[in-house]
Amino acid sequence: MRSMTGCGRCQLQSGDWEITVELKAVNHRFLDLSCRLPRSLAFLEETIRQSIAAQMKRGHVDVFVTVRRVNTADRQVQVDEALARAYADAAASLESILPGAKLSLDQLMKMEGVVTLAEADMDEDAVAQLCRRAADGAVSQLCDMRDKEGANLRADLSAHLDAAAALHEKILQRAPLVVEEYRTRLLSRLQQLVTDAVEPQRLAQEVAIMADRCAIDEELSRLDSHIGQLRRYFDATGEVGKKMDFLIQEMNRETNTIGSKASDAAIAQCVVDLKSEIEKLREQVQNVE
């Protein structure tokens, strides 16, 4: 079992380039990737998507990529002499109007467009290969965290499922007593209302009608089956979150039916507690991949 939340980071350097890939994941119905890349690095998006999709099936993942040139030897400072001369001429003209206002060399170099830093073109193939390795490393770290979180989820889900199974067993033991208690109450009431002896056949008929109306054997059987199936998914691999969510919906459906059919205060209280445990299961399963 694996959670859908976690984060991963990998930084690699090769040749002139250093790449950092950071991933942050939360739960989502499907695999949803959000790559926040500058326009100059847009060519890396498909590489990153392939790397993530190879190891993950569900979750919303935010991707952050930083590319830095570590070798500055091939950088060149370029000066636009014509533009610098134009700025200087403009400054000289202003000096005749505003005496004492001079343009220093330091100020001139800071004027827009006068000095630029030129770099060699990016080797996209080399950067893409390095990015794939960094993305694989970040995804691997993310998956390790998701596995650890999945173990915690499994323990919590198991505790709530054990509680649900105990409540199911309690209802199962209580159900047969409901009809017998109804028979006893009905007989006592009839004896108080009539002086003649109560016909056994008529009494049995009334009890049978009541027993049929409040019978929950099928619902309890299906609920037990769902609990067993859900428990088996705890040790399954792959994408199991959707299947577990479906089973929990079915558990809730059976529990609602039991609550509506069983005319018994003790069973009604068990149903309330059972619905509480099912809701806790449902909330946690939303984070399972």
Side-chain angles (χ1 to χ4, degrees), residues 175-207:
L177 303 178
V178 174
V179 175
E180 184 59 32
E181 290 180 1
Y182 173 77
R183 181 183 182 282
T184 302
R185 292 197 306 271
L186 180 61
L187 179 59
S188 176
R189 187 175 301 175
L190 289 174
Q191 288 175 343
Q192 294 175 2
L193 295 176
V194 299
T195 56
D196 298 335
V198 179
E199 297 183 9
Q201 183 177 0
R202 178 60 178 172
L203 177 62
Q205 183 179 5
E206 290 295 330
V207 172

Side-chain angles (χ1 to χ4, degrees), residues 93-285:
S93 299
L94 289 174
E95 188 178 358
S96 62
I97 302 174
L98 302 172
K102 294 182 177 295
L103 180 65
S104 67
L105 180 60
D106 180 62
Q107 292 172 328
L108 180 60
M109 292 183 66
K110 292 179 180 179
M111 302 299 288
E112 183 178 358
V114 174
V115 178
T116 57
L117 184 64
E119 296 183 351
D121 293 337
M122 180 182 293
D123 185 346
E124 293 189 357
D125 291 337
V127 172
Q129 292 178 13
L130 185 61
C131 181
R132 179 176 293 279
R133 290 168 49 203
D136 288 343
V139 174
S140 180
Q141 188 179 103
L142 171 60
C143 289
D144 288 343
M145 182 175 289
R146 284 158 62 106
D147 288 338
K148 293 177 182 178
E149 180 65 21
N152 295 332
L153 274 176
R154 185 188 186 284
D156 190 70
L157 286 168
S158 182
H160 291 306
L161 191 62
D162 288 343
L167 289 166
H168 166 271
E169 185 64 24
K170 192 173 181 180
I171 295 173
L172 186 64
Q173 294 177 2
R174 174 65 184 168
L177 303 178
V178 174
V179 175
E180 184 59 32
E181 290 180 1
Y182 173 77
R183 181 183 182 282
T184 302
R185 292 197 306 271
L186 180 61
L187 179 59
S188 176
R189 187 175 301 175
L190 289 174
Q191 288 175 343
Q192 294 175 2
L193 295 176
V194 299
T195 56
D196 298 335
V198 179
E199 297 183 9
Q201 183 177 0
R202 178 60 178 172
L203 177 62
Q205 183 179 5
E206 290 295 330
V207 172
I209 293 174
M210 188 273 178
D212 182 66
R213 186 185 306 120
C214 68
I216 54 176
D217 295 345
E218 292 184 7
E219 288 79 7
L220 287 171
S221 178
R222 286 193 292 268
L223 182 58
D224 182 59
S225 175
H226 297 332
I227 291 173
Q229 292 181 64
L230 192 62
R231 200 181 298 279
R232 285 193 289 273
Y233 281 127
F234 286 173
D235 298 317
T237 58
E239 187 179 345
V240 298
K242 291 181 180 179
K243 298 175 184 178
M244 296 176 71
D245 187 48
F246 172 76
L247 284 173
I248 290 173
Q249 292 181 37
E250 292 303 305
M251 288 174 61
N252 191 61
R253 190 195 311 276
E254 301 300 342
T255 302
N256 285 333
T257 304
I258 291 171
S260 64
K261 293 177 68 174
S263 302
D264 181 74
I267 291 181
Q269 183 58 54
C270 288
V271 167
V272 172
D273 295 338
L274 185 54
K275 286 177 67 66
S276 176
E277 295 298 334
I278 290 174
E279 179 61 21
K280 293 174 183 176
L281 286 168
R282 189 195 66 79
E283 291 177 356
Q284 290 290 54
V285 162

